[in-house]
Amino acid sequence: MSISAKRLALQFFMLSSAAGAASAGTITCVPGASNGSASPFNWVRRISIDEHSRTVNLDVVRSRTKDTETMGKMRADLVSMEDGQTGEPVYVFNSIPTAGTEVTHLFRLFKAGEWRLISAAVAVASKVPALRAVEQGVVFDCKRSDMG
């Protein structure tokens, strides 16, 4: 292979690698400004979805008193990412249970005019799942960024 052919092959490889990396991205969401004081308490404060690795990181309120909130982190698996009617994907993810945790949280993030997050808590006792809570949808502001 000549030197010019090697250069051409290297350039092609670099361009194809960059194109593949640009197709995956991240989306980061925070509660929207339209969640007024009349809206219910939202324990999810930040969502970061990495489409390439199919992982989700959430900043959540672990405990809350009158004066303070204790923040924590939660990891989740991106179970599904399908095209929605708005052209944006519908993300479905669930929390990764940790030792001693008996509740799994299920989430659906979708765009219907605004980005909305709906969640449910499922407890498993003696291998029998039981729905613990379904939370009302909360509006989020989401920003997409390409990786690469």
Side-chain angles (χ1 to χ4, degrees), residues 29-45 114-117 136-141:
C29 305
V30 295
S34 61
N35 294 324
S37 59
S39 66
F41 170 71
N42 181 24
W43 63 283
V44 177
R45 296 300 169 89
E114 304 172 299
W115 283 98
R116 299 193 70 76
L117 178 72
Q136 184 176 353
V138 179
V139 174
F140 274 76
D141 289 331

Side-chain angles (χ1 to χ4, degrees), residues 33-76:
S34 61
N35 294 324
S37 59
S39 66
F41 170 71
N42 181 24
W43 63 283
V44 177
R45 296 300 169 89
R46 184 174 177 272
I47 304 167
S48 179
I49 300 173
D50 183 335
E51 295 172 350
H52 178 70
S53 67
R54 301 188 66 82
T55 58
V56 182
N57 291 306
L58 298 108
D59 291 345
V60 297
V61 177
R62 291 277 183 211
S63 64
R64 182 178 185 206
T65 65
K66 186 174 105 178
D67 299 324
T68 63
E69 293 180 341
T70 303
M71 299 299 292
K73 302 249 183 230
M74 179 186 289
R75 287 194 48 125

Side-chain angles (χ1 to χ4, degrees), residues 13 32 66 91 101:
F13 174 75
K66 186 174 105 178
Y91 299 100
T101 303

Side-chain angles (χ1 to χ4, degrees), residues 74 95-98 100-106 120-124 130 132-133:
M74 179 186 289
S95 61
I96 300 171
T98 57
T101 303
E102 55 190 53
V103 177
T104 298
H105 296 278
L106 310 170
V122 176
V124 178
R132 250 180 137 182

